[in-house]
């Protein structure tokens, strides 16, 4: 069985959990506490030199980089595809997916936010402004593209690679109190996804390393 090394609130871990759940692939979890820098330990980096989550132990190999893993899953396990068959639809899915994965994840991930606070010394209010600024820069055109496409509950008929990446970013946007009222298509897709069991199982709130769940078991 595959083993997923991740952190409950990591957007990249979240997107990989969604992909695994949508494809119906069984996996075990081995939590990696980012707040304690567990991903920087010698044992972990000997397997994943990127010192990042998620890491997926699958088919005798430790795999890193969430987007590469999602596309690998789609190629290795072609049932319930995350990418459309049609080449133009595949481009559309990738266009919107990579807008979020490349434009938003890099400036908004945990190492960057930590660096803004220490050593640069910015207060949390400034960091929150930074976060919302980059969200707007990408979510505005994503919303505009969705309007052009006339999307409904999902980008296409069923949730796929775009939704696996969008939903974790919207989760983070809400954590940072970003105003999503001007993004009705994004929030419509969010609501449709969160109503599905696969997304519910992947949600940070249901993960074993979520402190709220740990406290309930104590």
């Amino acid at each position: 069985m595959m083993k997923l090394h991740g952190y409950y609130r990591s957007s990249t871990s979240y997107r990989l959990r969604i992909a695994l759940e949508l494809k119906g692939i069984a996996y075990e979890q081995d939590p990696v506490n980012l707040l304690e820098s567990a991903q920087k330990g010698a044992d972990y980096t000997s397997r994943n030199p990127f010192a990042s989550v998620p890491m997926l132990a699958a088919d005798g190999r430790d795999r890193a980089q969430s987007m590469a893993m999602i596309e690998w899953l789609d190629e290795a396990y072609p049932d319930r595809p995350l990418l459309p068959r049609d080449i133009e639809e595949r481009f559309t899915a990738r266009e919107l997916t990579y807008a979020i994965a490349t434009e938003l994840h890099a400036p908004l991930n945990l190492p960057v936010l930590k660096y803004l606070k220490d050593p640069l010394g910015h207060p949390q209010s400034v960091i929150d402004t930074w976060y919302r600024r980059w969200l707007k820069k990408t979510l505005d055109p994503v919303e505009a593209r969705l309007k052009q496409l006339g999307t409904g509950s999902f980008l296409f008929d069923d949730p796929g690679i775009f939704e696996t990446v969008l939903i974790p970013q919207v989760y983070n946007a809400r954590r940072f109190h970003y105003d999503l009222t001007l993004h009705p298509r994004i929030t419509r897709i969010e609501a449709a996804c969160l109503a599905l069991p696969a997304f519910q199982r992947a949600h940070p709130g249901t993960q074993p390393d979520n402190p709220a769940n740990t406290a309930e078991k104590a």
Side-chain angles (χ1 to χ4, degrees), residues 109-123:
N109 66 18
L110 186 59
V112 172
L113 301 181
K114 283 184 173 181
Y115 188 77
L116 288 170
K117 180 171 286 188
D118 182 20
L120 295 185
H122 292 298

Side-chain angles (χ1 to χ4, degrees), residues 25 37 84 108 145 188:
I25 299 172
S37 299
L108 302 185
R145 181 65 91 201
R188 183 170 63 216

Side-chain angles (χ1 to χ4, degrees), residues 115-136:
Y115 188 77
L116 288 170
K117 180 171 286 188
D118 182 20
L120 295 185
H122 292 298
Q124 189 62 45
S125 60
V126 171
I127 295 172
D128 290 352
T129 298
W130 161 282
Y131 202 103
R132 290 190 287 267
R133 187 262 188 216
W134 292 110
L135 284 171
K136 179 175 176 58

